[in-house]
Amino acid sequence: MNVSARTRGALVALLAGAVLLTGCAGGGSADRASSGDGRQQAPMPPDGGGAPDGGSGSVREGEQDGDAQRDAPPADHLSTFALDVDTASYGYARRALAEGRLPEPDSVRPEEFVNSFRQDYPRPEGDGFTVTVDGARPGGRGGEDWSLMRVGLATRASTKSAERPPAALTFVIDISGSMDEPGRLDLVKESLGILTNELRDDDSLALVTFSGEAETRLPMTRLDGNRNRIHDIVDSLEPTDSTNVAAGVRTGYDVAVEGHRPGANNRVVLLSDALANTGETDADAILERIASSRREYGITLFGVGVGSEYGDQLMERLTNRGDGHTTYVSTSTQARKVFVDQLPAHVELRARDAKAQVAFDPQNVEEFRLIGYENRAVADEDFRDDRVDGGEVGPGHTVTALYAVRLREGASGHVATATVRWLDPRSRAPHEASAVVEAAALDRDLWSAGTAPGLQVSAAAAYFAQALRGAETPGAPGLGELGERTGALARRTEDASVGQLAKSIGQAEGMLR
């Protein structure tokens, strides 16, 4: 069963998510939410102590019984992570497989595979999130005693374009020699051209390029009356020299601060293959130079990856430190989808520093494993410390986290409470929403016709990612079976994106035999 909760209250996924900035006003304080079936949901789980890794845990019996134990769970009952709407890992893996090669295991992040697929979770009426928790039993080898639990979060869709705040976007464009490959600078230029036509007259845009050094091509400029000028600059870009990412990001932030527009959505957008080979090449050193501007002005960093060779880890670390997210684009179709179809849904921000915490019930849960989110782990005690960075989430986004959960023999009743906490993008006031799940909701067959297709797609994407990075997951089928199940699911749902997933699974199977 699905349980949802409402509170009162990231060039085309490219530049669309790129405009996730400071957006709408929220309302209300943290509330106790009601589930979709009218039952009162569990109270917010208390802050825990313990290790910062929310990845897995064995749930020990505590000294207390019943409700008292649930009110104060041991630290290892908690799993805490920052929300993530990145999708670059899946996009890059698909390109690598299509070119006949496996992606590097350390570039595979399961949460980005899972979050590449939109879900049909209920949406809140205002800002903030709904929370949905459900699951099923995967069966299969090693999965007999396990369930797959899905925590789903969703924000309200975007408002009309005319109603959003204006955008102030600083594009930092890699024009190094490595960008000469087809599908790199040419795709960036095409995407920027589309975006220039899609933005509103009252939006602003700045252009910075970098190779061995950085150069400001256009200071922050209103679109109204300047579109032809912007097109001319973009069309003139040519690849040259080496890749000094540090110089580009540093200059980009200088330009963004100089052109900062109060009340607008201010963001730096880095478009690059992220193959830094000149200057400071470490993400921490690069971000350290602009940390004060980020804190003072609220300017976040969005990374758009391109190229058959791509510095995935550097780009992800940059955007994580810059309070932003990443995507990867390899075709004109993907770029146009983001700029034309998705851009209007991403020019606002629904939540800042969003984190999730799942509290498992020791009476019913023996062991749990969070699939992915290793790079987004948050110390349990920092869940309600609003000075600790979380994730930025825009309108219409869905975020999914999957857990492998082993229940105790004879488990019944409450299994877990999932809570999301975020800051209002304008007022910075904190809000929370939560939902619970019981053992009966995790007992259905994962692959049966009656199970939600969204849960099945999430499982297929996660199992695929785990296989690519050589990780074991209870109940995961072999790639051959997984490809067959995913193909059948694509035909049943008539979803082209699921069909593309099935195709990628088939390509990987041939290489991993």
Side-chain angles (χ1 to χ4, degrees), residues 82-165:
L83 300 198
D84 190 357
V85 295
D86 291 357
T87 59
S89 178
Y90 177 62
Y92 182 57
R94 279 185 54 203
R95 173 165 182 165
L97 291 167
E99 293 177 346
R101 55 191 174 85
L102 291 168
E104 292 295 326
D106 58 6
S107 75
V108 176
R109 294 180 292 278
E111 69 274 15
E112 296 186 24
F113 279 52
V114 172
N115 286 323
S116 294
F117 298 89
R118 289 295 180 93
Q119 299 287 341
D120 60 352
Y121 305 133
R123 306 283 177 165
E125 292 182 356
D127 293 341
F129 297 88
T130 56
V131 185
T132 300
V133 190
D134 62 1
R137 289 189 175 273
R141 186 177 60 184
E144 300 85 354
D145 299 328
W146 292 81
S147 293
L148 192 68
M149 188 181 90
R150 178 176 66 158
V151 177
L153 309 170
T155 59
R156 178 171 59 91
S158 63
T159 58
K160 295 179 180 179
S161 176
E163 297 175 358
R164 67 165 172 84

Side-chain angles (χ1 to χ4, degrees), residues 248-264:
V249 172
R250 185 170 58 248
T251 302
Y253 265 84
D254 289 344
V255 170
V257 168
E258 184 177 351
H260 180 265
R261 292 180 61 182

